[in-house]
Amino acid sequence: MAAAARPKRARFQWTARAREALTGYLFILPWAIGFVVFIAGPMLFSLYASFTNYNVTSKFDWIGLANYKKMFFNDPFYWKSMGNTLYFTVFSVPINIMVGVVSAVMLFQNVPLQKMWRTIFYLPKVLTGVAVLMLWVWVFNPQDGLMNNLLRSIGVDSPPLWFASPKWSKPALIVMSAWSATGGILLYLAGLQAIPKQLYEAAQIDGASGWRQFLNVTLPMLSSTIFFKLITGINGAMQYWEAALIVTNPPGSPSNSTLFNGLYIWNTAFRDLKMGYASAMAWVMFVITLILAAIQFWGSNRWVYYEGERR
């Protein structure tokens, strides 16, 4: 008698949708591995370290909220650094946005040698690094610097001491950041090119002046680009510290006037080797940055316009 035939096993078949999904996952796999290993993993480790007395070498004991209590109630340098960071953010971000928008609008006009001017204004984006910062140290030199020589030439007898003065050190850093803001004009230029010409023609028919066209057409249509620069600008300003490390000696001087929160975290972690305490400060800054971003997104509904958005 012949043996009974075995039932055939159903063969798995890839659908087009499944193959497309698998291809997508394979493409993002390198980024996902890098994110977990180099970003998410260290972040979780630093969160745990913020509750310990980790000092890189021997200590790694759980101390609960001691780092956070010390930060909020027993560390005047922490509040000094937060005050400096807030000062820099409040003044530098609006100035940088204003410089970027005005520069882009000027370069968007039909002026002679337009491409050359655009290249010159984009140079700050290319000329970054320690060399440029050292050039700024010379510009703000109290005795022979370019800035004070210019001020003396227009009749200022006692020009500021800039990085040697607690009063003028942060304004000098704000001027430095405003210079580099022109490097971001490409985004504003792209936003200006996307504004329909018909809007300006309609405004001109209604008799609107150039200033009214800027206020009622250009700025509203450019609001989404400005919002993006506002978000990234505040995030960047809250983490600002590299320039202060390089242009001041010792870092954070004079009188801790340039001791920004990022610089204080760096000093605590890599100079004092108090990694646990530095991690706690970093996480507080992370939460503050998230809250500020959430507030900006919440308020954006009142002033940001997206073309094609249904309300």
Side-chain angles (χ1 to χ4, degrees):
M1 182 176 179
R6 294 181 179 178
K8 291 185 179 179
R9 183 180 297 177
R11 185 178 180 182
F12 179 78
Q13 292 184 345
W14 288 90
T15 63
R17 185 179 181 84
R19 284 197 296 269
E20 183 180 3
L22 178 62
T23 304
Y25 286 127
L26 289 176
F27 270 109
I28 67 171
L29 185 60
W31 176 88
I33 294 174
F35 177 80
V36 171
V37 174
F38 298 110
I39 298 178
M43 285 183 66
L44 293 176
F45 177 79
S46 71
L47 178 61
Y48 178 79
S50 69
F51 297 101
T52 69
N53 59 355
Y54 180 45
N55 68 349
V56 182
T57 56
S58 58
K59 294 181 179 179
F60 206 167
D61 304 320
W62 180 268
I63 58 174
L65 297 174
N67 286 330
Y68 294 93
K69 291 179 180 177
K70 176 184 176 183
M71 182 195 321
F72 292 129
F73 302 110
N74 297 310
D75 188 355
F77 292 107
Y78 173 74
W79 291 111
K80 179 70 175 178
S81 68
M82 288 300 296
N84 290 335
T85 302
L86 184 63
Y87 179 104
F88 181 82
T89 303
V90 167
F91 287 98
S92 69
V93 174
I95 291 175
N96 289 357
I97 291 177
M98 184 176 63
V99 170
V101 171
V102 172
S103 302
V105 170
M106 292 173 59
L107 294 175
F108 194 65
Q109 310 304 316
N110 291 323
V111 296
L113 303 177
Q114 186 186 60
K115 292 183 179 179
M116 184 193 74
W117 291 116
R118 288 184 178 183
T119 303
I120 291 175
F121 273 75
Y122 191 70
L123 278 180
K125 204 67 175 178
V126 181
L127 302 176
T128 56
V130 176
V132 173
L133 293 176
M134 298 311 296
L135 187 63
W136 278 109
V137 171
W138 170 75
V139 170
F140 286 113
N141 185 293
Q143 283 76 39
D144 304 320
L146 179 65
M147 185 67 74
N148 279 1
N149 284 334
L150 179 63
L151 293 176
R152 291 189 189 98
S153 67
I154 60 175
V156 179
D157 296 328
S158 301
L161 297 178
W162 302 113
F163 294 127
S165 166
K167 180 181 178 181
W168 288 98
S169 55
K170 284 191 287 292
L173 291 171
I174 291 171
V175 172
M176 290 169 52
S177 69
W179 176 79
S180 62
T182 58
I185 60 171
L186 285 183
L187 284 177
Y188 294 116
L189 286 173
L192 289 172
Q193 289 177 348
I195 300 176
K197 303 295 182 186
Q198 296 86 343
L199 296 179
Y200 290 106
E201 294 172 357
Q204 291 169 2
I205 292 173
D206 291 339
S209 62
W211 175 245
R212 298 301 302 180
Q213 292 178 41
F214 176 75
L215 290 181
N216 297 328
V217 177
T218 304
L219 282 183
M221 297 300 293
L222 207 58
S223 58
S224 58
T225 306
I226 295 175
F227 177 60
F228 172 77
K229 295 296 290 184
L230 180 66
I231 289 280
T232 56
I234 290 179
N235 290 346
M238 295 297 289
Q239 302 173 51
Y240 181 85
W241 65 278
E242 296 94 339
L245 174 69
I246 295 171
V247 302
T248 59
N249 186 24
S253 63
S255 303
N256 294 319
S257 61
T258 59
L259 182 65
F260 296 102
N261 186 254
L263 180 58
Y264 188 41
I265 292 175
W266 189 89
N267 285 339
T268 304
F270 298 104
R271 187 189 66 185
D272 304 334
L273 299 182
K274 296 178 180 178
M275 287 289 181
Y277 189 46
S279 298
M281 286 192 289
W283 270 96
V284 170
M285 176 55 71
F286 177 66
V287 172
I288 292 175
T289 305
L290 281 182
I291 293 173
L292 290 178
I295 293 174
Q296 292 170 79
F297 274 104
W298 173 77
S300 66
N301 293 329
R302 302 174 183 273
W303 65 276
V304 178
Y305 170 76
Y306 296 99
E307 189 174 8
E309 181 185 35
R310 294 182 178 178
R311 294 179 180 272

